[in-house]
Amino acid sequence: MLPKCPVCGREMMVTELHCDRDDVTVKGRFRASPFDFLDREELEFVILFFRARGNLKEMERYTGQGYFALRGKLEKILEKMKLQPLGEVKEEVSDEDLFKQVKEGKISVEEALELLKRKKKGGEGDV
């Protein structure tokens, strides 16, 4: 899991990578994967979810945990990874709200651009 800033609490940016074997250092600004924010137990849950092909009922049979407990874990992991379930993506967000969400770090610039593209595409279909 990536560390959080001790001052503001936001995720810190990775700016340097180093290989001890070759003594090579690469500096820059590197975007972390959503998986980097998961602890070991959460990552194991995601791997099991993949192996069950996304079938929570199958995971229920395999783990002995109830469906709603598994669903709750999945919801927490989605939230921690800052991912919205597909059916819950809100297209009617104003441009101003999108910029505010980017500024507050709630969504990435790439996510905002994708939502703007979808909004534009939706408007063109009416013509």
Side-chain angles (χ1 to χ4, degrees):
M1 179 184 337
L2 292 177
K4 298 210 182 254
C5 174
V7 177
C8 70
R10 294 177 79 184
E11 291 90 16
M12 295 179 70
M13 176 66 68
V14 177
T15 58
E16 185 174 300
L17 298 172
H18 182 79
C19 174
D20 287 334
R21 183 176 152 245
D22 300 314
D23 197 30
V24 172
T25 300
V26 179
K27 292 185 179 188
R29 293 178 61 89
F30 306 100
R31 183 168 302 279
S33 159
F35 294 101
D36 293 330
F37 297 96
L38 302 181
D39 62 31
R40 183 183 178 106
E41 183 179 321
E42 292 163 334
L43 193 53
E44 288 173 1
F45 179 91
V46 170
I47 291 168
L48 181 60
F49 183 75
F50 289 159
R51 291 183 64 210
R53 295 184 173 102
N55 187 329
L56 289 176
K57 289 288 188 186
E58 183 66 28
M59 289 178 67
E60 183 179 14
R61 284 190 286 277
Y62 182 78
T63 66
Q65 296 179 28
Y67 175 87
F68 292 106
L70 294 168
R71 175 78 187 258
K73 285 182 183 182
L74 180 59
E75 294 295 330
K76 286 180 185 175
I77 289 171
L78 285 171
E79 185 177 315
K80 193 170 185 181
M81 293 176 78
K82 298 182 179 160
L83 299 172
Q84 287 183 320
L86 292 176
E88 295 178 16
V89 175
K90 296 179 181 167
E91 302 285 339
E92 64 277 352
V93 176
S94 72
D95 295 354
E96 187 176 305
D97 287 341
L98 284 175
F99 295 128
K100 183 179 177 187
Q101 289 180 19
V102 169
K103 186 177 178 182
E104 293 173 354
K106 292 181 179 177
I107 63 172
S108 70
V109 172
E110 291 80 12
E111 289 169 317
L113 289 172
E114 183 61 32
L115 288 170
L116 287 170
K117 261 192 240 178
R118 287 187 206 161
K119 272 178 71 170
K120 185 177 179 185
K121 206 176 212 181
E124 290 173 0
D126 299 332
V127 175

